[in-house]
């Protein structure tokens, strides 16, 4: 009876290294009772298990005490094939997967789990596979889905606790272990309770020790009896002690009190190198305290939180020449930008203190970002990080990592942002810097949310809240959870968290609250929403550094909300917003967001009303492209709402509106949005013109590979009196900056046949942004082979890495391209490897580099949205040759793609080549 399955496993043994053939041959089939597996088989598997995850197979999930092997890991014995054959004969794929998983053979376990239909048990086990691979995002996503439908699923709860623990989210992991403990399972409950106690106590002890070190240092400012110096605290927490010792020294009211601090300063210098802290104490002790004493006393009051006299103390410090106190007032008020920066920089230069210099480097980087020279800020932070590590100023290093994270988030280089945020998070925990742990969590929330990793973003917020928030604040966590739930199309939890945010003591409603409330108004409206919106909009209009876009965004939010009660008034507010924002500079990002969202809202409203010709006209107007007459698809996604309009070969218009999507657009295939009846309308079209704004623009999965289609954007260049002289520009063999740690790309090989057009090749150190921009102005074809730091659906953040200029600038950005006038109306090939940075993040600008080339005058742009192999050059060359022969770009791309897919199944990457063309 077992022979067929046994033979199949012989084939498996020959193909699977972990199944040793000699062991297989030594075992002969034996009779079993009903095809069952002996209990001894599972007992042996459990006894040798080295995994922490729980599995749902009943035999694999019996509690197993885990003890250290006390040495090097011992490879497990091969699984007896007789028992595997019995499991296979019974169709027990879960049992086979569990047997492999208990031995840590996760690839084999995954191969069997993936054959099984989706279920809570299957997904919990598959999450264990992802956990073992370090893929926390995928594991959390699966486990959250299981626990949403089965909140007391024991294995999913345990595995989620493990994932959170691996991510360093120990307080939330402890909570989850406690949920397992309440199930009172034999063995598992006791172990879960022990894990929870350990994790919670270790975390809270870290907080207590950090707070104690801070308090012990600041206590040195108090009058009265001499306080003991926190020397041991300095050895354990040098960062927080040093940070606060500066304030203590500035507050010293006499020479004697200053010199009492010298041993502590010397201890810090011994730990962190140099003598800057000791030198500072000695300099202060040498000051004239008849003048400095009252000023120092006033500064001490500022440190204690009495900031009403801050400006007076600052001016007195400046007038009396007490530069260190003046610097302290700037740092307390976080006022080191603008005109104060140079004064702060000069004072730090006089003190020659590397700790303070690293703070100034951070502030200079912020200034460079504000000036638009972000590459200088990037280089400055990397250089400062190097000096910081050499000087053992670890707390300052964490701060710099966080500054770099925020830079990359602003640039939407989200992979790098999360990488540096995780480094900062890990480093802060190792250093036991409790305050920096909170900041790292906040940046991790931002980075994960921006790249649509909603499961991780929620976990980071929950950990922040489980730790008590910053100074007991609950608003931040509630409003962030509400916004994350909304983005993840989970509207009921979003509304619940939004209501909870309002109830937080001292809640100051902000733009994130207003935006979430306005979107939820159409499905989950509350009785006091209008009043809440007005409060939040008021906060939007009084933001620091007000720009016109802040007021426009507030008007958009009002129009979005009012649309549900008074459509005419809501539409009027949105049209007013569109008209206003068109006149504002593109650099006002909040204005651009208000403009894009106002357009998308009007399109959705037209779709809801069934006025599909109007919806298509609005889509076309937003893209500033000529209206189509036939064979077109218009597609708009706004929150959970989708509006689709098609025109058939004869110009007939059909539409579809859907407001019930329950899944985030980030995680679904675009092709699933288009109903089959609408696809049938497009039959007979030689090619399809697609009109879509982000997050749809940039997707490459709208149609099957055999359909010719392209996105349309902008208007074609005006016809010239004489056709431009054909000229091809090729950029290759770029020397990327070492700080990016990018691998060297293979050199571009010129075609064997002579080029029919004049050709310019920029390589090596010549391939700088300025040279490339100058050379592309008259080109009729542009081809760039370089690394891309590219998100195909984000704003002006995608870039191509070129060789650095003298000032360090290395990026070819959308902003720089958009400023050019490409007189040759070129065909552009961006053969830049995207390094896996594709995302479906909602965006308020088109896929920026291709869109920028279109704005600058290109007639068509082809760009890769995934990693591409070395052979990609031949693919792009094939498309180019077809276009030169007179084939339309969309048809040329389709024909070359089909050719490659027919010839080689590994050419699936060709499905992810994007084409954007101007309107005719």
């Amino acid at each position: 009876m077992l022979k067929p399955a046994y033979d199949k496993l012989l084939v498996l043994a020959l193909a699977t290294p972990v199944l040793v053939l000699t062991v297989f041959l030594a075992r002969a089939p034996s009779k079993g009772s009903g095809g069952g597996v002996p209990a001894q088989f599972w007992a042996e598997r459990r006894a040798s298990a080295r995994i922490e995850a729980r599995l749902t197979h009943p035999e694999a999930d019996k509690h197993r005490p885990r003890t250290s092997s006390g040495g090097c890991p011992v490879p497990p014995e091969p699984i007896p094939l007789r028992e595997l054959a019995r499991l296979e004969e019974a169709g027990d794929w879960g049992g086979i997967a569990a047997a492999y998983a208990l031995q840590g053979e996760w690839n084999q376990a995954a191969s069997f789990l993936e054959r099984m239909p989706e279920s809570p048990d299957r997904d919990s086990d598959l999450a264990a596979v992802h956990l073992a691979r370090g893929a926390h995002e995928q594991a959390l996503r699966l486990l959250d889905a299981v626990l949403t439908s089965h909140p007391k699923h024991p294995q999913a709860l345990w595995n989620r606790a493990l994932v959170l623990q691996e991510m360093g989210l120990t307080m939330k992991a402890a909570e989850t272990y406690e949920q397992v403990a309440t199930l009172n399972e034999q063995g598992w409950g006791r172990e879960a309770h022990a894990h929870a106690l350990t994790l919670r106590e270790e975390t809270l002890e870290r907080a207590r020790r950090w707070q104690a070190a801070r308090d012990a240092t600041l206590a040195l400012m108090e009058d009265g009896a001499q306080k003991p110096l926190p020397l041991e605290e300095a050895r354990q927490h040098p960062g927080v002690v040093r940070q606060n010792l500066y304030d203590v020294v500035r507050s010293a009211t006499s020479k004697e009190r200053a010199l009492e601090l010298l041993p502590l300063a010397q201890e810090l210098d011994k730990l962190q190198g140099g003598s800057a802290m000791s030198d500072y104490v000695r300099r202060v002790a040498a000051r004239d305290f008849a003048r400095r004493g009252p000023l120092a006393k006033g500064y001490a009051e500022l440190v204690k939180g009495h900031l009403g006299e801050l400006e007076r103390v600052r001016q007195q410090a400046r007038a009396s020449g007490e530069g260190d106190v003046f610097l302290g007032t700037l740092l307390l008020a976080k006022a080191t930008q603008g005109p104060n920066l140079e004064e702060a920089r000069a004072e730090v230069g006089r003190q020659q203190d590397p700790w303070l210099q690293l703070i100034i480097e951070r502030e200079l980087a912020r200034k460079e970002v504000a000036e638009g020279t972000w590459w200088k800020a990037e280089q400055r932070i990397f250089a400062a990080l190097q000096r910081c590590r050499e000087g053992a100023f670890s707390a300052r290093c964490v701060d710099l990592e966080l500054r770099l994270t925020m830079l990359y988030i602003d640039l939407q280089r989200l992979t790098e942002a999360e990488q540096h945020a995780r480094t900062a998070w890990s480093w802060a925990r190792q250093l036991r810097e409790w305050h920096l742990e909170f900041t790292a969590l906040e940046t991790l929330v931002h980075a994960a949310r921006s790249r649509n990793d909603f499961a991780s973003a929620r976990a980071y917020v929950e950990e922040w809240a489980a730790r008590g928030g910053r100074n007991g604040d609950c608003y931040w966590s509630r409003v962030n959870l509400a916004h994350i739930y909304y983005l993840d199309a989970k509207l009921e939890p979003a509304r619940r968290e939004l209501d909870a945010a309002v109830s937080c003591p001292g809640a100051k409603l902000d733009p994130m609250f207003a935006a979430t409330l306005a979107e939820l108004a159409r499905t989950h409206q509350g009785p006091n929403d209008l009043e809440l919106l007005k409060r939040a909009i008021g906060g939007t209009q009084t933001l620091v550094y007000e720009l016109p876009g802040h007021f426009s965004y507030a008007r958009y939010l009002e129009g979005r909300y009012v649309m549900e009660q008074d459509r005419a008034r809501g539409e009027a507010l949105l049209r007013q917003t569109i008209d206003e924002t068109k006149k504002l500079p593109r650099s006002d990002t909040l204005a651009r967001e208000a403009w894009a969202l106002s357009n998308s809202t009007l399109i959705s409203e037209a779709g809801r009303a069934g006025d599909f010709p109007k919806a298509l006209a609005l889509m076309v107007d937003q893209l500033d492209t000529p209206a189509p007459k036939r064979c077109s698809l218009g597609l708009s996604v706004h929150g959970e709402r989708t509006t689709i309009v098609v025109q058939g070969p004869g110009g007939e218009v059909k539409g579809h509106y859907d407001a019930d999507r329950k899944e985030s657009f980030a995680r679904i295939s675009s092709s699933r949005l288009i109903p089959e009846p609408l696809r049938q309308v497009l039959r007979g079209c030689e090619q399809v013109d697609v009109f879509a704004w982000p997050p749809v623009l940039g997707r490459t999965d709208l149609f099957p590979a055999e359909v010719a289609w392209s996105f349309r954007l902008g208007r074609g260049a005006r016809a010239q009196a004489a056709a431009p002289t054909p000229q091809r520009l090729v950029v290759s063999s770029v020397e990327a900056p070492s700080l990016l740690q990018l691998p060297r790309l293979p050199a571009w090989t010129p075609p064997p046949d002579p080029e029919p057009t004049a050709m310019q090749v920029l390589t090596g150190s010549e391939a700088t942004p300025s040279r490339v921009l100058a050379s592309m102005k008259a080109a009729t074809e542009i081809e760039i082979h370089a690394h891309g730091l590219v998100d195909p659906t984000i704003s002006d953040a995608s870039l191509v890495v070129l060789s650095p200029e003298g000032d360090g600038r290395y990026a070819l950005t959308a902003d720089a391209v958009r400023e050019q006038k490409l007189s040759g109306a070129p065909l552009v090939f961006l053969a830049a490897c995207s390094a896996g940075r594709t995302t479906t993040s909602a965006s308020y600008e088109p896929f920026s580099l291709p869109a920028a080339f279109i704005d600058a005058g290109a007639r068509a742009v082809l760009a890769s949205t995934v990693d591409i192999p070395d052979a990609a050059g031949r693919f792009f060359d094939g498309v180019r040759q077809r276009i030169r022969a007179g084939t339309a770009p969309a048809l040329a791309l389709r024909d070359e793609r089909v050719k490659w897919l027919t010839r080689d199944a590994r050419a699936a990457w060709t499905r992810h080549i994007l084409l954007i063309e101007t309107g005719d």
Side-chain angles (χ1 to χ4, degrees):
M1 180 177 66
L2 297 178
K3 187 68 167 61
Y6 197 62
D7 289 343
K8 292 177 185 176
L9 284 168
L10 173 58
V11 175
L12 180 63
L14 293 173
T16 308
V18 296
L19 300 177
V20 181
L21 185 58
T22 55
V23 176
F24 166 73
L25 294 175
R27 295 176 178 268
S30 61
K31 295 180 180 180
S33 56
V37 174
Q40 183 63 24
F41 170 82
W42 290 109
E44 290 174 356
R45 307 277 76 71
R46 293 193 300 270
S48 62
R50 292 290 182 268
I51 69 170
E52 294 185 88
R54 287 183 63 176
L55 305 168
T56 57
H57 192 280
E59 290 292 342
D61 193 45
K62 290 182 178 179
H63 185 257
R64 52 190 188 276
R66 283 173 296 286
T67 58
S68 171
S69 60
C72 298
V74 178
E77 289 292 325
I79 301 176
L81 293 186
R82 176 190 306 157
E83 281 73 14
L84 286 180
R86 288 173 173 170
L87 291 169
E88 194 239 13
E89 183 75 13
D92 189 358
W93 304 120
I96 298 174
Y100 279 124
L102 284 172
Q103 297 202 174
E105 297 173 12
W106 296 107
N107 289 336
Q108 289 89 336
S111 69
F112 285 95
L113 288 170
E114 287 164 356
R115 301 183 194 183
M116 299 169 61
E118 291 185 12
S119 71
D121 285 356
R122 194 290 301 256
D123 288 351
S124 179
D125 288 351
L126 202 53
V129 174
H130 288 307
L131 170 61
R133 293 171 173 172
H136 300 146
E137 174 185 344
Q138 293 90 328
L140 275 180
R141 188 182 303 162
L142 286 169
L143 293 168
D144 284 356
V146 171
L147 293 170
T148 297
S149 58
H150 296 75
K152 294 186 178 181
H153 193 288
Q155 296 85 7
L157 280 170
W158 179 278
N159 291 341
R160 190 173 197 270
L162 279 179
V163 176
L164 296 171
Q165 185 176 343
E166 285 289 314
M167 296 171 71
L169 309 180
T170 48
M171 291 296 286
K172 196 61 188 176
E175 285 185 15
T176 311
Y177 276 126
E178 287 291 9
Q179 292 178 41
V180 177
T182 61
L183 301 179
N184 295 318
E185 299 172 285
Q186 183 176 0
W188 293 115
R190 184 173 60 255
E191 185 175 347
H193 184 63
H195 282 322
L197 285 177
T198 300
L199 289 172
R200 186 175 288 112
E201 181 55 32
E202 287 177 350
T203 306
L204 293 178
E205 179 63 15
R206 195 164 69 247
R208 286 191 291 267
R209 288 180 179 273
W210 181 89
Q211 189 65 46
R214 180 179 183 274
D215 291 346
T217 307
L218 290 175
L220 299 174
M221 287 194 304
E222 297 175 9
D223 294 329
Q226 183 178 3
K227 302 288 183 180
L229 296 177
L231 296 175
E232 182 57 34
E233 287 85 347
R235 297 182 191 108
Q236 297 299 321
H237 298 83
V240 65
V241 171
R242 183 168 188 145
Q243 183 71 38
N244 289 281
L245 183 57
Y246 284 105
D247 285 334
V248 173
V249 176
R250 292 169 190 140
S251 303
T253 54
S254 68
K255 176 179 181 178
E256 292 73 23
R257 288 191 72 81
L259 289 176
E260 287 170 2
L261 304 172
L262 187 58
L264 181 56
Q266 289 171 330
E267 184 67 24
L268 288 170
D269 284 338
K270 183 170 68 175
L271 291 165
Q272 298 176 323
S275 61
M277 201 76 224
S278 305
D279 294 343
Y280 174 48
V281 171
R282 292 188 183 98
R283 284 198 307 274
V284 170
R287 302 297 292 175
D288 178 3
F289 279 90
R291 284 194 314 169
R292 183 180 171 98
L295 184 63
K297 189 173 182 180
Y299 184 81
E301 292 301 309
L302 299 181
V303 175
K304 294 173 184 177
H306 307 143
L307 298 177
E309 294 295 307
L310 189 144
E311 190 58 32
R312 180 185 63 81
V313 173
R314 178 182 300 166
Q315 295 306 328
Q316 286 183 354
R318 177 189 276 132
S320 62
E322 301 296 342
D324 64 317
V325 177
F326 172 74
L327 176 64
T329 64
L330 296 180
L331 294 173
L332 283 175
K334 296 181 173 59
T336 49
Q337 285 295 301
N340 297 324
L341 179 56
E342 284 307 313
E343 284 188 271
R345 186 180 187 183
E347 176 57 32
V348 169
R350 284 189 289 272
Q351 295 191 33
Q352 296 185 343
D353 184 333
W355 176 281
L356 297 175
Q357 183 59 50
L358 290 170
I359 295 177
I360 293 300
E361 291 296 302
R362 179 195 67 193
E363 296 306 295
L364 288 170
R366 286 179 60 195
K367 177 175 180 288
E368 288 165 341
V369 171
E371 293 171 346
T373 56
W374 59 262
W375 62 91
K376 291 183 180 179
E378 182 184 37
Q379 292 171 335
R380 183 181 296 277
I381 296 173
F382 269 106
L385 270 169
Q386 181 63 33
R387 295 198 303 274
C388 176
R389 294 187 181 103
E390 293 170 353
F393 298 124
S394 298
R396 292 263 60 84
C397 297
V398 176
D399 186 56
L400 289 167
E401 287 281 3
L402 293 171
R403 182 63 250 166
L404 191 59
T405 298
M406 294 311 299
L407 169 63
Y408 284 146
I409 289 175
D410 289 343
L411 295 172
Q412 287 293 286
R413 288 165 57 178
L414 301 177
T415 302
E416 290 99 329
E418 191 160 41
Q419 173 189 339
H420 287 282
R422 285 178 176 173
T423 298
W425 166 237
S426 176
W427 211 343
R429 286 183 291 124
Q430 291 171 11
L431 295 170
R432 301 178 295 277
E433 287 287 347
W434 187 251
H435 181 79
L436 287 173
E437 288 184 42
F438 271 97
T439 307
L441 277 172
E442 289 159 8
T443 57
L444 281 166
V445 170
H446 197 164
R449 185 183 65 222
S450 296
R451 68 179 191 84
N452 298 317
D453 178 7
F454 303 127
S456 296
R458 280 195 298 270
Y460 295 135
V461 174
E462 289 168 354
E463 177 69 16
W464 192 94
R467 293 174 176 226
R470 224 186 253 279
N471 301 318
D473 173 32
C474 79
Y475 174 80
W476 185 90
S477 60
R478 294 295 191 182
V479 76
N480 270 275
L481 279 175
H483 195 59
I484 292 165
Y485 276 126
Y486 163 69
L487 294 174
D488 200 16
K490 301 181 187 305
L491 304 186
E492 289 186 11
R495 182 73 229 196
R496 183 177 62 246
E497 294 296 339
L498 206 63
D499 292 338
V502 177
S503 302
C504 289
K508 295 181 179 179
L509 308 187
D510 61 359
M512 182 180 289
F513 179 95
T516 310
L517 179 67
E519 294 296 344
L520 292 175
R522 58 178 170 265
T523 55
H524 293 73
Q525 194 170 81
N528 302 316
D529 281 358
L530 182 58
E531 177 187 346
L532 294 173
L533 185 75
K534 288 180 177 178
R535 281 174 56 191
I537 287 177
T540 302
Q541 293 177 329
T542 57
L543 291 173
V544 181
Y545 306 122
E546 285 180 353
L547 291 171
H550 293 143
F551 298 97
S552 298
Y553 191 74
R555 184 172 287 106
Y556 154 71
L557 291 173
E558 184 182 1
R560 170 77 282 279
Y561 179 85
V562 169
M563 184 71 76
E564 301 304 316
Q565 292 78 37
D566 185 342
R567 184 175 175 183
R569 181 165 173 261
E571 185 168 336
L573 285 168
L574 294 177
R575 291 196 175 280
Q576 183 181 355
T577 302
I578 291 170
D579 292 339
E580 286 178 353
T581 51
K582 282 181 178 179
K583 302 171 185 176
L584 297 178
R586 204 174 190 128
S587 58
D588 190 336
T589 55
L590 206 55
R592 288 294 290 175
E593 183 174 339
W595 174 83
L597 289 174
S598 295
N599 275 292
S600 296
T601 301
L602 291 175
I603 292 168
S604 294
E605 290 301 315
R608 179 163 67 168
D611 192 345
F612 295 111
K614 178 181 178 181
L616 181 59
L618 288 166
M619 295 178 194
V620 168
D621 184 62
Q622 184 177 25
L623 293 160
D624 189 29
T625 192
K629 295 185 172 69
R630 57 188 297 277
C631 290
S632 70
L633 165 71
L635 204 164
S636 174
V637 170
H638 185 122
E640 79 287 359
R641 304 196 293 178
T642 303
T643 305
I644 307 172
V645 187
V646 296
Q647 282 183 312
E652 63 275 25
V653 175
K654 300 289 184 181
H656 172 77
Y657 173 77
D658 176 24
D660 296 321
R661 183 163 39 79
K662 304 299 184 185
E663 190 175 4
S664 168
F665 179 68
R667 290 201 293 271
I668 67 173
S669 167
S670 303
S671 60
R672 287 170 47 190
L673 297 175
I674 308 172
E676 186 58 31
L678 293 191
R679 289 187 180 276
Q680 292 301 319
V681 174
L682 297 171
R683 292 190 61 154
C685 289
E686 185 179 28
Q687 70 177 71
V688 179
D689 296 332
V690 178
F691 300 84
W693 197 258
V696 179
L697 180 58
R699 287 287 193 108
T700 56
D701 56 354
L702 292 175
F703 293 99
E706 60 272 14
V707 174
W709 66 280
S710 65
F711 287 108
R712 292 286 171 164
L713 178 65
R715 298 178 181 273
R718 293 180 180 178
Q720 300 185 7
T725 303
Q727 181 176 331
R728 183 181 179 192
L729 170 65
V730 177
V731 180
S732 179
S733 301
V734 168
E735 297 177 356
S738 58
L739 64 87
L740 297 180
Q741 298 182 338
L742 296 172
R744 183 178 293 275
L745 295 175
W748 173 77
T749 304
D753 299 328
E755 273 286 310
T757 61
M759 183 167 64
Q760 180 184 9
V761 180
L762 291 177
T763 62
S765 60
E766 292 184 343
T768 63
S770 61
R771 291 287 303 275
V772 171
L773 288 168
S775 299
M776 68 171 54
K777 290 181 179 179
T780 57
E781 290 181 4
I782 299 171
E783 184 173 345
I784 300 177
H785 299 267
H787 280 288
L789 303 180
V790 178
D791 261 329
T793 61
I794 59 174
S795 172
D796 295 327
S798 60
L799 59 89
V800 169
V801 178
L802 299 178
S803 300
E805 309 272 7
D807 66 353
R809 181 181 183 183
Y810 61 82
L812 180 67
T813 63
D815 282 342
V817 171
R818 192 175 285 118
E819 293 173 359
Q820 307 303 308
K821 179 174 177 56
L822 306 181
S823 59
L827 175 65
V828 180
F829 297 87
L830 295 177
C833 179
S834 72
R837 289 176 173 83
T838 57
T839 182
T840 48
S841 173
S843 176
Y844 311 110
E845 289 280 356
F847 176 26
S848 62
L849 268 178
F853 273 103
I854 294 292
D855 285 349
R859 59 190 172 101
V861 183
L862 290 96
S864 168
T865 64
V866 296
D867 288 350
I868 54 179
D870 296 347
R874 297 200 308 274
F875 175 83
F876 283 113
D877 191 59
V879 176
R880 179 175 48 253
Q881 296 301 335
R882 292 177 185 272
I883 295 174
R884 282 181 178 174
T887 305
L891 297 172
L893 175 60
R894 187 273 312 274
D895 293 345
E896 192 70 12
R897 179 172 60 227
V898 169
K899 172 186 170 183
W900 278 61
L901 289 170
T902 302
R903 187 176 58 191
D904 187 352
R906 294 172 299 178
W909 58 269
T910 62
R911 300 175 184 268
H912 302 284
I913 303 299
L914 181 71
L915 172 61
I916 299 181
E917 298 183 80
T918 59
D920 296 330

